[in-house]
Amino acid sequence: MSIRIFVTGGTFDKEYNEITGQLYFKDSHLQEMFELGRCRVPVDIRTLMMVDSLEITNLDRELIAEHCNKAEEDKIVITHGTDTMADTASLLAQKVTGKTIVITGAMIPYKFGSSDGLFNLGSALAFVQTLSPGVYVAMNGQCFAADNVRKNKLTGEFEELSNSK
Amino acid sequence: MSIRIFVTGGTFDKEYNEITGQLYFKDSHLQEMFELGRCRVPVDIRTLMMVDSLEITNLDRELIAEHCNKAEEDKIVITHGTDTMADTASLLAQKVTGKTIVITGAMIPYKFGSSDGLFNLGSALAFVQTLSPGVYVAMNGQCFAADNVRKNKLTGEFEELSNSK
Amino acid sequence: MSIRIFVTGGTFDKEYNEITGQLYFKDSHLQEMFELGRCRVPVDIRTLMMVDSLEITNLDRELIAEHCNKAEEDKIVITHGTDTMADTASLLAQKVTGKTIVITGAMIPYKFGSSDGLFNLGSALAFVQTLSPGVYVAMNGQCFAADNVRKNKLTGEFEELSNSK
Amino acid sequence: MSIRIFVTGGTFDKEYNEITGQLYFKDSHLQEMFELGRCRVPVDIRTLMMVDSLEITNLDRELIAEHCNKAEEDKIVITHGTDTMADTASLLAQKVTGKTIVITGAMIPYKFGSSDGLFNLGSALAFVQTLSPGVYVAMNGQCFAADNVRKNKLTGEFEELSNSK
């Protein structure tokens, strides 16, 4: 069975508007990234929203959870802004059971050429195929359980709660 | 414990010599790729050889197996040219036990900008952290057991032996 | 005699801060860009300021003019944000005589991989070597006289005043 | 009047064949490069051949000269492999008069991401607009007269005959 990909936006998909000089969202680059990676795992990509994760509300998170529950697939990768990725993971862990859900993102937009997104996407796709049901965050080559992860705002890296003060 | 990375060359690390117009090997780009991916998994990179995989002999493969057996780490990622990747996987499966070994590579050199290498490296690093001991090939977002994989020379993709004729 | 390069910032040199998600200035990429272009024209690069061109004041423009007048070289390329590039060209045309000055810039930051900056820099360097004394704007592969150019804010392209309404 | 662009191949347009691991020619990237440079100079691109310049014969050069003579435009840019660029310039200087012809190329293929091609194309387009009739080679940010240029095979750079031994 194929793997479900839910796109919610985040730095992953940000682009540079050369007229205004602002960063903005247009289309998702997920399809292009899977092609670049010569991915042959069957994936089914659906965009749920296209926003900065600071703008994701709990209502949005409920919506994401609902989509996870209703999806036919039991393996799901979610692309998400890094700032509130841990919050979404936490809510999904409460609302969805029996599925393997891996949330990932990027620190640098894919379109800016030196993105960590392709690396993270490769790792997320591998983790979702191998881990037992549960909700995880895949960043920095690592995989964190939904209830034991936070983004270190100073370094931009993800870490276990138990390792941080 | 950290993950051991063995570099053997392959398309991954090929560069373009602008004086001769030929592709060649200089240094490995693995360290740079891990940095680009903002990888925080402790890795220990060692270059064993820097060759096109068509030039890898069975003696070379014995050497790689020996390095795997002697390594302190029980999780090992090997970067390798794609043409004989399955052969090396097969020999390692016979010679090394009790370790998780994931072999990966790229169809396009990392230095050529649109490489699949970063995607594959991310997936290989995830697979090696999650799979039980054994030898695997990680390509195209998928993971194959060492005795059930071959490269389709026409498409450049990896496939299970049982799915191919 | 070498060509003087004055850096004032602009989109050319903007980078993405992955912690804050904002665009910002760090160092100039001019040296790197000349190396990438395998440029063998002797150039002497000096950074005068590192700002968005919307923030450039007339006092700043006077300063740039002073630097142009004091420079030993009589061929000068200035990198500049596009929004007020025409204003700076206009002031320089009044204050500096006997030198060939070419102002150029970019719509996309060099670091974002698909920049027009390298193309513009190549053209600016060629124009400055071949044009008679005067002040010019080099954008979109074209060269405009200082008193006959404006940026079309809607398209982001430069055009002659006489062609626009 | 627009500028004529004649494509003959060369490193500029080489691509990497991921199945064979060889470099090869498919389509020209000139149109894409002009778009990337946000070029608004009217250009008319025509591919005459798509070969490595070591394979260009004198018969091919006669053909290029004929195309230059027959073109309606009197400003022509030719993209060409660097190895025999000076030879083609020399023949064109004998066969074509009354037109400004600028030959340019690249040391690194455009598709390999860090190409000097975009820089050279920008400079060639500027030189062709400003120089008086004659045949020139534009490389390394410089412009050489057809009868006073050679490629230094050791450094890959172009230089005047009078400066070299």
Side-chain angles (χ1 to χ4, degrees), chain B residues 114-150:
Chain B
S114 63
S115 173
D116 51 331
L118 207 55
F119 179 82
N120 289 342
L121 188 61
S123 76
L125 198 72
F127 282 129
V128 84
Q129 292 178 75
T130 50
L131 291 172
S132 52
V135 178
Y136 308 87
V137 164
M139 287 293 291
N140 305 126
Q142 296 176 295
C143 197
F144 303 89
D147 57 358
N148 190 23
V149 60
R150 70 166 199 178

Side-chain angles (χ1 to χ4, degrees), chain A residues 95-109:
Chain A
K95 302 273 180 175
V96 189
T97 54
K99 303 205 173 198
T100 304
I101 299 177
V102 177
I103 311 181
T104 193
M107 294 302 289
I108 301 271

Side-chain angles (χ1 to χ4, degrees), chain B:
Chain B
M1 181 175 283
S2 72
I3 291 169
R4 169 69 68 172
I5 314 291
F6 284 135
V7 174
T8 73
T11 298
F12 234 78
D13 275 330
K14 275 192 181 163
E15 299 196 36
Y16 181 76
N17 181 326
E18 68 185 77
I19 305 298
T20 66
Q22 304 294 307
L23 299 174
Y24 77 120
F25 293 107
K26 200 166 57 173
D27 301 314
S28 172
H29 302 93
L30 264 291
Q31 181 63 40
E32 187 182 336
M33 292 171 76
F34 281 120
E35 284 166 16
L36 192 58
R38 274 96 182 136
C39 181
R40 295 296 169 259
V41 179
V43 296
D44 189 337
I45 305 171
R46 193 162 307 178
T47 300
L48 299 187
M49 57 197 78
M50 206 61 163
V51 295
D52 195 297
S53 80
L54 291 173
E55 295 174 22
I56 290 186
T57 64
N58 279 335
L59 219 62
D60 291 326
R61 290 187 178 94
E62 301 275 354
L63 180 78
I64 297 170
E66 203 180 308
H67 276 285
C68 289
N69 276 317
K70 285 190 179 165
E72 289 181 11
E73 299 86 354
D74 54 12
K75 293 177 182 303
I76 299 171
V77 170
I78 301 174
T79 66
H80 194 289
T82 57
D83 284 322
T84 69
M85 188 180 277
D87 300 331
T88 298
S90 183
L91 183 137
L92 291 182
Q94 294 164 34
K95 302 274 180 174
V96 189
T97 53
K99 303 205 173 197
T100 304
I101 299 178
V102 176
I103 312 182
T104 194
M107 294 302 289
I108 301 270
Y110 166 70
K111 288 292 277 183
F112 293 5
S114 63
S115 173
D116 51 331
L118 207 55
F119 179 82
N120 289 342
L121 188 61
S123 76
L125 198 72
F127 282 129
V128 84
Q129 292 178 75
T130 50
L131 291 172
S132 52
V135 178
Y136 308 87
V137 164
M139 287 293 291
N140 305 126
Q142 296 176 295
C143 197
F144 303 89
D147 57 358
N148 190 23
V149 60
R150 70 166 199 178
K151 181 182 175 184
N152 182 321
K153 305 282 183 191
L154 291 179
T155 63
E157 295 169 17
F158 283 74
E159 56 193 17
E160 294 188 356
L161 295 181
S162 43
N163 284 345
S164 59
K165 279 174 289 289

Side-chain angles (χ1 to χ4, degrees), chain A residues 18 38, chain D residues 18 38:
Chain A
E18 68 186 75
R38 275 94 182 136
Chain D
E18 67 186 77
R38 275 95 182 137

Side-chain angles (χ1 to χ4, degrees), chain C residues 43-132:
Chain C
V43 295
D44 189 337
I45 305 171
R46 192 161 308 177
T47 299
L48 300 188
M49 57 197 78
M50 206 61 162
V51 295
D52 195 297
S53 80
L54 290 174
E55 295 173 22
I56 290 186
T57 65
N58 279 334
L59 219 63
D60 291 326
R61 291 189 177 93
E62 301 276 355
L63 180 78
I64 297 171
E66 203 181 308
H67 277 285
C68 289
N69 276 318
K70 286 190 180 166
E72 289 181 11
E73 299 85 352
D74 54 12
K75 293 178 183 301
I76 300 171
V77 170
I78 302 174
T79 65
H80 195 289
T82 57
D83 284 320
T84 69
M85 189 182 277
D87 301 331
T88 299
S90 183
L91 184 138
L92 291 182
Q94 294 164 35
K95 302 273 180 175
V96 190
T97 54
K99 304 205 173 197
T100 304
I101 300 177
V102 177
I103 312 181
T104 194
M107 294 302 289
I108 300 270
Y110 167 70
K111 288 293 277 183
F112 293 3
S114 63
S115 173
D116 51 331
L118 207 56
F119 180 83
N120 289 343
L121 188 61
S123 76
L125 198 72
F127 282 129
V128 86
Q129 291 177 77
T130 51
L131 291 172
S132 52

